[in-house]
Amino acid sequence: MATASVSFKSREDHRKQLELEEARKAGLAPAELDEDGKEINPHIPQYMSSAPWYLNAQRPSLKHQRKWKSDPNYTKSWYDRGAKIYQAEKYRKGACENCGAMTHDKKSCMERPRKTGAKFTSMHIAPDEKVESFELDYDGKRDRWNGYDPSTYSRVIEQYEAREEARRKYLKEQQLKKLEEKNGKNEEEEASSEEEEDEDKVDEAKVDESKQMDFAKVEKRVRTTGGGSTGTVRNLRIREDTAKYLLNLDVNSAYYDPKTRSMREDPMPDMDPNEKFYSGDNQNRLSGQALEFKQLTVHSHEAFEKGQDIHMQAAPSQAELLHRNYKIIKEKLKSQTKDTIVEKYGNAASDEALPRELLLGQSEREIEYDRTGRIIKGQDMSLPKSKYEEDIFINNHTSVWGSWWKDHQWGYKCCHQTVRNSYCTGSAGIEAAEAVNDLMRANIARKEASDEKPVQQEEKRLATWGTEVPEDLVLDKKLLADALKKEDERKKEERDERKRKYNVKWNDEVTAEDMEAYRMKKIHHDDPMKDFLN
């Protein structure tokens, strides 16, 4: 309902007005017209259709709902980039001291600073720029595409189309080159009938490029029914191939998602892999660059958790470079570890054949011995040697180190020496060592047989003040009681300094009774009964 200014209505007029509004809403009565002759929707609420009183509306209207504060000065035009308005021939007062233009000063000049400005040379005066000022509305100030020329994007499209055209031409040349090489080989080997078939293949390859490369073409449809633009790629598959959702019609087989056109599992897992051309979409995830990208992502996450400043989305080039260096260092460490193990333990998988003595420890060579054990016929089997030195005698020794053992010590068997790299003394050294041992055993036995006891020295009792206490020392009980009283008085003075006299007489003569009283009154901190004293 749209009404004019509020006026008094009787009850009957108000009832008729309500009936008319109901009829308009039901479509039985024509809609109300505004000032411009346009119909007003009868379903608009009254609080929206009623004009404010200060507008003094004489007829029903919806003008008060429209934007009436429209500024005619608002514009959507943009600056004329690079436009010049005037070219001066000499320097003008107030112009830029560097280039000579009037539209800016020396501080705002965008030209290269000249060695001598135009103010002093009056040469090469720069033209004045076209300075414009626009009063943009709310949307114009926030439009980031304001002033953009869409025609400039055609250069980007032309660049990509030229690149795609060059790629198609290169692929076509490579295909023709391969077919011609194959044709030349077959001409030398096969008969004339086969040569004609190869020529037909070359002729088929020389068809129109627009038809041959049609499957690599991308067609764009703009303003579709769903809105926006879509791109359809025609090189999806050959139409004669069976669709992947028709390979296995079993309901419990691999699931096909019609929305994304994906079938992750293998629809025919029991089929020979050499005969089937489709093994599920998961095969693509575990092969090619998909697997490399997965490893790169895992490496970036692990490196970030260990404190490396790396992010796969923020700096992909850095992440790929770090992953490449990581693989190189890992392979180098692996090869170093392998070489170290092979160098230390040998390589059982190498092509070098091991000696027969090391493999079996025996051979089929016939050797004949006499009664004394000497070889009559054949050659004695050589014992395999280790990497350590063997049968090398030093310092006149006739046996190696470790050929003799006694009392948890290794030594030389020839001289019973337990010091390594010592000079061999022969049988004389053995006799001298035995004589030393006999003498040592005799000394031990003689010491055990002697019952001499060590002289015990008497312990001296020290006095409490640090002197020796004579045996006949006797403390006087009366003097000891006096000393205890003096010690009590001295401790009272220490607790209360007010009782200390001004003239203090000091006596440094300490008697045995004084020392005994001090010892008796002294508090021992480790005494459990110290709290009960005094």
Side-chain angles (χ1 to χ4, degrees):
M1 180 185 72
T3 59
S5 59
V6 181
S7 60
F8 177 76
K9 294 181 181 179
S10 62
R11 183 178 296 180
E12 188 65 22
D13 295 339
H14 186 68
R15 185 181 59 79
K16 290 180 181 181
Q17 183 69 25
L18 292 176
E19 291 177 356
L20 179 60
E21 290 176 0
E22 293 295 334
R24 285 173 178 170
K25 290 180 181 180
L28 303 177
E32 193 175 8
L33 302 177
D34 59 0
E35 295 177 354
D36 299 332
K38 298 179 181 180
E39 293 183 352
I40 299 176
N41 192 347
H43 298 283
I44 295 177
Q46 184 179 3
Y47 72 91
M48 295 177 61
S49 60
S50 299
W53 59 270
Y54 50 83
L55 293 180
N56 297 324
Q58 301 298 329
R59 294 194 58 187
S61 175
L62 292 176
K63 276 188 175 182
H64 60 278
Q65 291 291 346
R66 300 188 184 97
K67 185 179 179 181
W68 56 278
K69 285 187 178 181
S70 59
D71 194 343
N73 297 327
Y74 287 159
T75 179
K76 291 188 177 181
S77 58
W78 199 245
Y79 303 98
D80 192 1
R81 298 178 184 273
K84 310 295 182 182
I85 54 176
Y86 178 70
Q87 175 70 51
E89 296 181 357
K90 63 179 182 177
Y91 181 76
R92 295 159 292 176
K93 185 178 180 180
C96 177
E97 297 179 1
N98 185 43
C99 65
M102 289 289 293
T103 51
H104 61 270
D105 55 359
K106 182 180 179 181
K107 187 177 181 180
S108 304
C109 186
M110 299 299 294
E111 284 194 9
R112 179 181 59 84
R114 303 182 184 181
K115 186 175 181 181
T116 306
K119 179 180 179 181
F120 304 100
T121 60
S122 294
M123 296 172 63
H124 305 292
I125 303 297
D128 299 341
E129 297 93 350
K130 185 179 179 181
V131 180
E132 298 177 284
S133 60
F134 300 111
E135 192 172 352
L136 303 175
D137 55 357
Y138 182 86
D139 295 332
K141 292 178 182 178
R142 290 157 180 79
D143 187 7
R144 66 191 184 110
W145 294 102
N146 195 0
Y148 175 73
D149 188 8
S151 61
T152 57
Y153 191 72
S154 59
R155 302 176 188 173
V156 182
I157 298 175
E158 292 174 0
Q159 181 182 359
Y160 278 89
E161 288 179 353
R163 186 185 301 175
E164 187 69 19
E165 190 70 22
R167 189 182 68 85
R168 293 177 187 173
K169 186 176 180 181
Y170 175 76
L171 293 176
K172 185 68 176 181
E173 292 176 356
Q174 293 293 327
Q175 186 178 5
L176 292 174
K177 186 176 180 180
K178 289 181 181 179
L179 290 175
E180 288 176 357
E181 291 177 357
K182 186 177 180 181
N183 188 15
K185 293 180 181 178
N186 292 335
E187 284 179 355
E188 298 176 358
E189 298 176 357
E190 298 179 357
S192 60
S193 59
E194 295 177 355
E195 293 177 358
E196 292 177 358
E197 293 177 1
D198 292 337
E199 290 176 358
D200 295 339
K201 292 180 180 179
V202 175
D203 294 337
E204 291 176 0
K206 293 180 180 179
V207 296
D208 186 14
E209 187 177 347
S210 62
K211 296 181 181 179
Q212 183 71 17
M213 305 301 293
D214 192 35
F215 282 100
K217 185 179 179 182
V218 178
E219 296 182 354
K220 293 185 177 180
R221 298 179 297 175
V222 184
R223 295 178 182 175
T224 56
T225 56
S229 61
T230 61
T232 57
V233 182
R234 297 184 59 184
N235 58 353
L236 295 176
R237 62 179 177 85
I238 303 175
R239 295 302 170 184
E240 286 77 11
D241 294 341
T242 307
K244 53 187 175 183
Y245 54 84
L246 297 177
L247 294 174
N248 192 351
L249 301 179
D250 188 4
V251 180
N252 298 324
S253 64
Y255 174 71
Y256 174 75
D257 187 8
K259 185 175 182 180
T260 58
R261 299 181 183 179
S262 61
M263 182 181 287
R264 302 186 178 183
E265 299 179 2
D266 189 1
M268 296 177 293
D270 301 331
M271 189 176 178
D272 186 6
N274 298 324
E275 296 181 0
K276 59 182 178 181
F277 65 95
Y278 180 74
S279 301
D281 296 339
N282 284 338
Q283 185 182 12
N284 299 330
R285 297 184 177 183
L286 303 176
S287 62
Q289 294 183 348
L291 184 59
E292 296 178 0
F293 181 77
K294 184 178 179 180
Q295 295 175 354
L296 176 60
T297 307
V298 172
H299 173 262
S300 62
H301 289 325
E302 292 179 352
F304 181 78
E305 290 177 356
K306 292 180 181 179
Q308 290 285 344
D309 189 9
I310 181 175
H311 198 279
M312 184 62 192
Q313 282 72 31
S317 302
Q318 179 191 10
E320 186 174 359
L321 182 61
L322 290 175
H323 181 55
R324 192 181 305 166
N325 296 338
Y326 165 76
K327 291 194 293 186
I328 293 173
I329 296 173
K330 184 178 180 181
E331 291 295 331
K332 189 181 295 183
L333 290 175
K334 189 183 293 183
S335 61
Q336 290 179 358
T337 305
K338 182 178 178 182
D339 295 342
T340 305
I341 294 174
V342 170
E343 183 180 357
K344 185 174 182 180
Y345 299 103
N347 188 6
S350 61
D351 297 334
E352 299 178 359
L354 294 175
R356 191 175 184 85
E357 293 83 359
L358 293 179
L359 288 175
L360 303 176
Q362 60 184 357
S363 64
E364 296 180 357
R365 291 179 298 176
E366 183 179 357
I367 302 174
E368 186 176 351
Y369 299 90
D370 61 358
R371 292 184 177 180
T372 59
R374 291 176 296 182
I375 298 175
I376 300 175
K377 183 181 179 181
Q379 204 172 23
D380 194 5
M381 183 175 58
S382 60
L383 295 174
K385 291 186 176 182
S386 64
K387 65 178 182 179
Y388 302 101
E389 296 179 350
E390 297 181 5
D391 298 334
I392 296 177
F393 307 111
I394 60 174
N395 296 336
N396 202 26
H397 286 286
T398 57
S399 59
V400 296
W401 167 263
S403 57
W404 186 66
W405 168 267
K406 185 178 182 182
D407 297 336
H408 304 284
Q409 286 183 340
W410 293 103
Y412 296 97
K413 186 177 180 181
C414 56
C415 59
H416 293 183
Q417 290 275 0
T418 57
V419 179
R420 192 169 186 178
N421 296 330
S422 62
Y423 193 80
C424 182
T425 56
S427 58
I430 297 175
E431 294 176 358
E434 290 179 354
V436 169
N437 293 333
D438 294 342
L439 181 60
M440 183 174 64
R441 284 195 291 270
N443 291 334
I444 293 173
R446 186 172 64 255
K447 187 176 181 180
E448 291 177 353
S450 63
D451 296 330
E452 296 179 358
K453 295 183 180 180
V455 178
Q456 296 182 357
Q457 297 180 357
E458 296 181 359
E459 296 182 358
K460 296 182 178 181
R461 282 197 308 136
L462 300 180
T464 48
W465 61 91
T467 59
E468 293 184 2
V469 180
E471 296 181 357
D472 55 349
L473 178 63
V474 179
L475 297 176
D476 190 355
K477 295 183 180 180
K478 184 177 180 181
L479 296 176
L480 181 60
D482 295 339
L484 288 174
K485 291 180 181 180
K486 290 180 181 180
E487 186 67 20
D488 292 337
E489 292 177 358
R490 187 183 65 82
K491 286 190 175 184
K492 287 180 182 179
E493 290 181 358
E494 288 181 356
R495 286 196 293 268
D496 191 0
E497 294 183 354
R498 292 176 298 177
K499 295 183 179 181
R500 181 179 295 177
K501 297 179 180 180
Y502 180 76
N503 295 323
V504 179
K505 293 181 181 181
W506 185 257
N507 186 12
D508 55 354
E509 294 180 0
V510 180
T511 60
E513 288 80 3
D514 295 339
M515 200 64 200
E516 185 68 16
Y518 171 76
R519 183 186 63 77
M520 293 173 65
K521 293 294 182 179
K522 183 180 179 181
I523 298 176
H524 297 278
H525 295 282
D526 55 349
D527 187 3
M529 300 297 290
K530 65 180 180 177
D531 296 333
F532 298 96
L533 295 176
N534 298 331

